[in-house]
Amino acid sequence: MTSTESVVSRYESLNRSIPRIDSEDKVRGTLLYVTDIRLENALYAFTFRSKVAHGKINRIETEDAEKVNGVKAVLTYKDIPSLNGYGAIVPEIPVLAYDKVRYYGEPIALVAAESVEAGLEALSRIKVDITPLPVIRSIEEALDDNAPKIHEKGNIARHTIVKKGNVDKARASAYVVLERTYETPMQKHMYLEPEGGVAYIDENGTLNVIAGGQTPYRDKLQIARVLGISPDKIRVKNSPTGGAFGGKDDVTVQIHLALLAYKTKRPVRLTWSREESGIAGFHRTSSKIKLRTAAAKDGTLLSNEAAIYLDSGAYQSFGPTILDVSIETINGPYRVPNYYIDAYLVYTNNGLASAFRGFGAPESNFAIESMMNELADELKMDPIDLRLKNILRTGETGPFNNIIRHSEGLEEALKRAKEVFYRPDPSTPFARTGVGVAVAIKGVGFGTLPDFPTAAIEVVPEGKVRIMFSNVDYGQGINTGNAQLVAEKLQIPVSQIEVYHSDTKYSPDTGGSSASRSTFNAGNALLAACEKALSELRLEAASYFMTSSSSVTYRGGNFYYKDRSINIYELAKRLRSRGKSTFFEATYEVPRYPEPVEGTLEVPHMVYMYGVMVSKVEIDEMLGKIRPLEVDFIADIGNVINPAIAAGQIEGGVIQGLGYSLTEYYSYDKDGRPLNINYTTYIVPTAKDSPMINVEFVRTYEELGPFGAKGVGEIGIIPVGASISDAVADAIGKRPYRLPILPWDFI
Amino acid sequence: MRVEVELAGPYIYQYGGRLHTVEVDEGAKVEDVLKKLGITERIYIVIIKNGKAAKLDDPLSEGDKLIVFPPVGGGA
């Protein structure tokens, strides 16, 4: 249940759990996912991948493959018109490998054929001669002085130091100093829909790419950079997407699709198999974090020293900014006057790491929140009291020189957590039970990076308001949430709103769906567009009433003057009859601190979400199996637009976090071959594994957000590892320092 | 004429700091500012002029404020 549902709302369309606007299509099966799209005359595309994790390419032979009847193209790096590279931050990921391969499954060639059979036959005829090189499978191996270099510049993609105060002095005066090392695993997104898409060139010569992604406009620029053509000649449309979680934020199939359609001049479809998604899709950075944290006898935190190592895999993708978020969250939401953060992004031959829900925060959170729980043990303090003592209060200056906004929600959430923080009774013989707690913090949006989302609305005389933005609804519900925001602003029913989204042909550039930013950014831009619309419509209404605009009032989709009224659709008709537009576009400038903290790209953020998670577990004494019994998650996400959807985001995050904490670890063999690439071998929690999850929202209002909303997508997963770990420690008296927590680690 | 330019993200480190004042000739365009700053990227780049998205061939006026950065992001 959610606390807001029992609250009487002053809004007509907000704080209400209306059904998702795409529910019916999903339930009826009429929503067309990318594999449902049928293109006449389309070629089937396949990817030839490296069977060596690290090696030098000597020769690529495609002649035999090209001879297969029905094969229309076999492309290698030689066929790339411009830049053979992509990557959201640094374009270092080869579109097709040319001199080296750096991970098992790296694409070397593309095939497009008239049939599946011809395509597979061609794949089997491609010959590649690769001289294997030693495979680097861990952060330690990568940093060894004698390690072979994965890239010419070495095995460190990014190294930075961020510091404040004097940690040596602070530590010397401390009552307790704990030094611990924490490790977290690579995690696969395991979306139900693997990566895939279609591409074709239309009658106007525009290259259309329809694929499951997260950021259409940035994908368009990445495609243009590879093809060397103007972005204006490319359209990227997002198909309804069956899950993304960050794994589709950077490019997956889009450039390959574009390249094949561009070269063959034919429609092309490319869909990765589940196993291909396992081998070549992105995963979460694994981490190793060394912490040395000092506190006074009363629990006051004095200093925090962190060495953060993230495994970026073979290339960077979003790694540099993931490292920033790890840096930003390693101090938690706490008053840490002295810190020294030494942070590394490291190359290995472990596939491709990139964005994943939480974006570096779950890694740091496991470390700092486990540390807080152990400090509470050492100080013999209640772990929630320890946190209440140290959390930054509204108006205080945070560790990264940011002024804290609205942390009262976190304080309230912690106090509420105390009420549910008790050890459950053992439910079965030979079982031990425990209770654990952790706090999460995560910035909304891109921190100090400039962000100017643009969105639009169109008032249609036929009685509809179209809303347009480029964010992708890959299951999180933003189409519905944004419709509710506009309905509230225009005081009309949600049923009068039509959503047009994530298509660079029709949707303005609102940016992508990431960083829990979609509601905040698209919502604010849409509200600004509504303001423009209402202003223009008011003038038209005044003209209709033959009075001044200040004499006109607006209520429930109608303008009033004395006893007369006219609705917005009739006004739109009047405007159009005179050739005037009823399309209103607005750009919103996201508030930010312009100057990043020295050593970072985008720290700090201005608006943060918070969450407190209390978990109860039961451990089978005989088998060591850990069973989560119950989770209480109290979140501060600002004003809650749609409680059911928001709670669903938290619940989904928690369950994904339970997998991260207890069963999921993506791994490679000694030769760098991935071992668990499908649902049989990579174990994600199912509904059967899910405990009772009680989600509550504290009532807060962030003035910068649309109707007080912040964001919600990522906060659910962030504290799970530390909270579950704390519950396990409570049950067995031994504290885990590594995720996932596996029975054989402690039995 | 003078144009104020803010660089963001990795550009801060690549092109010598965050804030720049660039002197360009009358009739100059956005691209001329990029050339002056030594920025070679022309496709994978975001340019904001006075709070709105701009293109390379957009004309400039005295006192215009540009924000220039690669379209990176943070958070999943």
Side-chain angles (χ1 to χ4, degrees):
Chain A
M1 74 161 269
T2 57
S3 61
T4 47
E5 281 182 313
S6 59
V7 170
V8 176
S9 174
R10 64 189 172 96
Y11 302 105
E12 286 293 323
S13 298
L14 308 182
N15 309 143
R16 298 188 192 285
S17 297
I18 65 166
R20 289 173 190 245
I21 56 179
D22 57 358
S23 299
E24 191 171 326
D25 278 343
K26 284 183 174 169
V27 171
R28 290 180 182 275
T30 50
L31 192 69
L32 295 181
Y33 288 91
V34 74
T35 47
D36 301 317
I37 299 172
R38 296 281 174 262
L39 290 178
E40 204 174 320
N41 207 25
L43 298 171
Y44 295 87
F46 298 90
T47 313
F48 181 86
R49 301 183 180 282
S50 173
K51 300 286 192 296
V52 174
H54 191 197
K56 182 177 175 301
I57 299 174
N58 302 315
R59 198 168 60 254
I60 304 168
E61 294 177 9
T62 61
E63 291 78 7
D64 277 357
E66 289 162 12
K67 289 174 189 164
V68 174
N69 192 23
V71 167
K72 295 298 172 189
V74 182
L75 306 183
T76 67
Y77 69 92
K78 292 176 184 169
D79 299 296
I80 294 169
S82 189
L83 177 70
N84 183 9
Y86 71 96
I89 311 284
V90 181
E92 65 174 16
I93 309 175
V95 174
L96 293 169
Y98 56 101
D99 60 342
K100 280 183 82 175
V101 287
R102 296 180 176 86
Y103 69 96
Y104 184 94
E106 183 157 357
I108 296 173
L110 297 169
V111 169
E114 300 281 6
S115 68
V116 172
E117 292 76 12
L120 292 174
E121 175 64 23
L123 274 191
S124 71
R125 292 194 189 187
I126 295 173
K127 300 283 183 292
V128 178
D129 178 28
I130 298 176
T131 303
L133 296 167
V135 174
I136 293 181
R137 295 174 55 244
S138 68
I139 291 165
E140 289 81 1
E141 287 176 20
L143 295 177
D144 188 291
D145 289 341
N146 299 316
K149 289 180 178 178
I150 295 173
H151 291 266
E152 265 186 38
K153 65 180 178 182
N155 295 336
I156 297 175
R158 185 182 174 211
H159 173 225
T160 188
I161 293 171
V162 185
K163 58 187 178 179
K164 185 178 185 181
N166 186 332
V167 290
D168 294 327
K169 195 174 164 189
R171 192 181 342 101
S173 67
Y175 174 76
V176 57
V177 179
L178 291 183
E179 194 168 346
R180 298 287 183 268
T181 300
Y182 304 91
E183 293 178 69
T184 60
M186 289 174 260
Q187 184 183 24
K188 291 295 285 187
H189 306 80
M190 298 305 280
Y191 10 76
L192 288 175
E193 183 191 37
E195 298 82 346
V198 297
Y200 61 95
I201 297 172
D202 66 22
E203 62 280 7
N204 300 317
T206 300
L207 175 58
N208 291 258
V209 178
I210 305 173
Q214 293 183 222
T215 313
Y217 277 89
R218 194 178 57 223
D219 293 349
K220 183 166 87 160
L221 296 185
Q222 295 223 55
I223 293 167
R225 190 166 53 174
V226 171
L227 297 184
I229 64 175
S230 166
D232 295 340
K233 299 296 290 178
I234 299 168
R235 170 200 184 191
V236 174
K237 180 185 177 194
N238 216 83
S239 56
T241 304
F245 311 116
K248 297 172 184 172
D249 199 4
D250 209 336
V251 163
T252 58
V253 295
Q254 292 89 339
I255 293 175
H256 286 174
L257 277 166
L259 186 60
L260 285 164
Y262 185 74
K263 287 286 183 180
T264 63
K265 313 294 181 207
R266 291 270 300 271
V268 178
R269 65 163 55 251
L270 172 61
T271 305
W272 290 356
S273 67
R274 170 60 55 196
E275 283 70 23
E276 263 187 306
S277 178
I279 291 167
F282 292 108
H283 59 253
R284 185 190 297 284
T285 51
S286 66
S287 77
K288 184 167 191 174
I289 298 178
K290 298 176 183 177
L291 275 191
R292 181 158 63 176
T293 309
K297 193 172 184 179
D298 67 354
T300 303
L301 290 174
L302 300 176
S303 65
N304 194 30
E305 295 163 79
I308 301 173
Y309 301 89
L310 300 184
D311 177 357
S312 188
Y315 300 99
Q316 294 187 39
S317 186
F318 278 101
T321 44
I322 294 171
L323 193 67
D324 257 24
V325 174
S326 286
I327 290 166
E328 188 178 17
T329 52
I330 197 63
N331 290 325
Y334 306 118
R335 199 178 296 109
V336 180
N338 306 284
Y339 60 80
Y340 187 96
I341 304 165
D342 193 8
Y344 294 82
L345 184 72
V346 177
Y347 292 120
T348 67
N349 297 117
N350 294 333
L352 290 174
S354 187
F356 195 141
R357 197 179 207 164
F359 206 79
E363 293 90 323
S364 280
N365 187 275
F366 177 60
I368 184 63
E369 287 302 298
S370 295
M371 174 62 82
M372 290 298 284
N373 286 326
E374 197 163 354
L375 280 172
D377 289 348
E378 290 288 320
L379 294 162
K380 297 187 172 36
M381 281 182 76
D382 179 284
I384 296 176
D385 286 342
L386 177 66
R387 289 171 168 90
L388 280 166
K389 184 171 193 62
N390 286 288
I391 58 169
L392 288 152
R393 299 314 208 267
T394 304
E396 275 192 81
T397 302
F400 302 105
N401 306 325
N402 49 323
I403 307 300
I404 302 300
R405 298 176 56 84
H406 294 301
S407 72
E408 60 272 11
L410 173 58
E411 183 171 354
E412 189 183 334
L414 278 165
K415 288 175 178 169
R416 172 70 186 124
K418 283 195 88 166
E419 296 170 23
V420 294
F421 191 74
Y422 56 86
R423 184 188 277 228
D425 294 329
S427 54
T428 56
F430 308 110
R432 297 189 198 183
T433 57
V435 60
V437 66
V439 168
I441 177 172
K442 174 72 177 55
V444 176
F446 297 160
T448 64
L449 294 174
D451 203 357
F452 289 80
T454 301
I457 74 163
E458 184 176 21
V459 184
V460 185
E462 288 73 26
K464 293 285 181 187
V465 172
R466 294 180 180 143
I467 67 173
M468 288 153 266
F469 51 88
S470 67
N471 305 83
V472 178
D473 192 335
Y474 44 75
Q476 74 277 46
I478 57 157
N479 288 353
T480 308
N482 283 338
Q484 286 179 264
L485 286 167
V486 171
E488 184 66 32
K489 182 71 181 175
L490 298 180
Q491 303 175 34
I492 59 175
V494 173
S495 59
Q496 290 179 10
I497 291 178
E498 293 178 342
V499 181
Y500 291 77
H501 60 93
S502 57
D503 183 341
T504 61
K505 187 174 180 181
Y506 297 110
S507 323
D509 186 0
T510 327
S513 287
S514 64
S516 303
R517 68 189 278 286
S518 299
T519 299
F520 191 95
N521 287 17
N524 272 321
L526 284 166
L527 294 187
C530 289
E531 289 281 2
K532 276 191 175 179
L534 288 173
S535 176
E536 187 71 21
L537 293 168
R538 177 181 293 275
L539 287 175
E540 185 63 19
S543 165
Y544 171 75
F545 293 132
M546 289 190 288
T547 184
S548 66
S549 59
S550 59
S551 306
V552 175
T553 57
Y554 181 74
R555 192 173 66 254
N558 298 288
F559 286 95
Y560 293 89
Y561 177 65
K562 296 185 176 174
D563 59 346
R564 298 171 65 201
S565 70
I566 185 167
N567 71 36
I568 56 174
Y569 306 113
E570 288 164 353
L571 289 169
K573 193 174 179 182
R574 282 172 58 89
L575 283 169
R576 285 196 181 181
S577 70
R578 296 206 311 281
K580 286 194 159 187
S581 172
T582 57
F583 175 90
F584 305 94
E585 185 179 275
T587 298
Y588 170 70
E589 181 174 359
V590 178
R592 64 189 168 107
Y593 294 101
E595 187 87 54
V597 167
E598 189 177 348
T600 74
L601 299 169
E602 57 162 290
V603 175
H605 286 73
M606 190 166 273
V607 174
Y608 294 96
M609 307 167 282
Y610 299 104
V612 182
M613 175 168 153
V614 174
S615 55
K616 288 155 190 162
V617 303
E618 178 187 84
I619 301 178
D620 186 317
E621 287 187 337
M622 308 297 285
L623 301 173
K625 184 174 168 57
I626 301 166
R627 186 163 74 94
L629 296 172
E630 191 171 359
V631 166
D632 289 277
F633 200 108
I634 306 116
D636 171 9
I637 61 167
N639 195 11
V640 184
I641 306 301
N642 185 314
I645 291 178
Q649 284 290 289
I650 301 283
E651 289 165 5
V654 166
I655 294 170
Q656 207 162 35
L658 289 174
Y660 187 50
S661 306
L662 296 172
T663 60
E664 296 181 36
Y665 58 104
Y666 188 55
S667 53
Y668 293 84
D669 71 9
K670 65 180 176 50
D671 297 319
R673 283 186 296 239
L675 291 169
N676 40 358
I677 56 175
N678 55 35
Y679 285 112
T680 310
T681 49
Y682 185 91
I683 309 301
V684 295
T686 65
K688 192 169 165 249
D689 303 307
S690 177
M692 180 67 196
I693 302 171
N694 309 303
V695 180
E696 296 181 31
F697 297 110
V698 293
R699 297 187 71 192
T700 57
Y701 191 95
E702 168 53 64
E703 290 82 0
L704 297 176
F707 285 106
K710 295 200 274 192
V712 63
E714 296 166 288
I715 198 70
I717 196 172
I718 294 169
V720 183
S723 180
I724 290 288
S725 166
D726 191 34
V728 169
D730 184 43
I732 65 171
K734 185 181 172 187
R735 197 165 281 282
Y737 297 101
R738 183 170 63 195
L739 298 181
I741 308 162
L742 300 168
W744 46 89
D745 282 345
F746 60 84
I747 276 187
Chain B
M1 62 183 172
R2 284 147 67 101
V3 175
E4 303 297 326
V5 185
E6 178 189 347
L7 303 182
Y11 282 4
I12 294 174
Y13 302 100
Q14 288 171 12
Y15 299 108
R18 189 171 73 87
L19 298 176
H20 302 258
T21 302
V22 178
E23 190 83 36
V24 287
D25 295 336
E26 288 295 324
K29 296 177 176 177
V30 167
E31 180 156 17
D32 298 315
V33 172
L34 300 190
K35 282 180 187 163
K36 283 242 172 187
L37 290 168
I39 298 171
T40 54
E41 180 61 55
R42 292 293 180 271
I43 294 177
Y44 198 68
I45 192 166
V46 180
I47 301 153
I48 305 291
K49 184 181 120 183
N50 302 329
K52 288 202 165 180
K55 295 199 166 188
L56 292 170
D57 56 359
D58 281 0
L60 293 169
S61 304
E62 171 74 28
D64 276 347
K65 290 192 168 72
L66 296 181
I67 307 176
V68 181
F69 54 103
V72 297

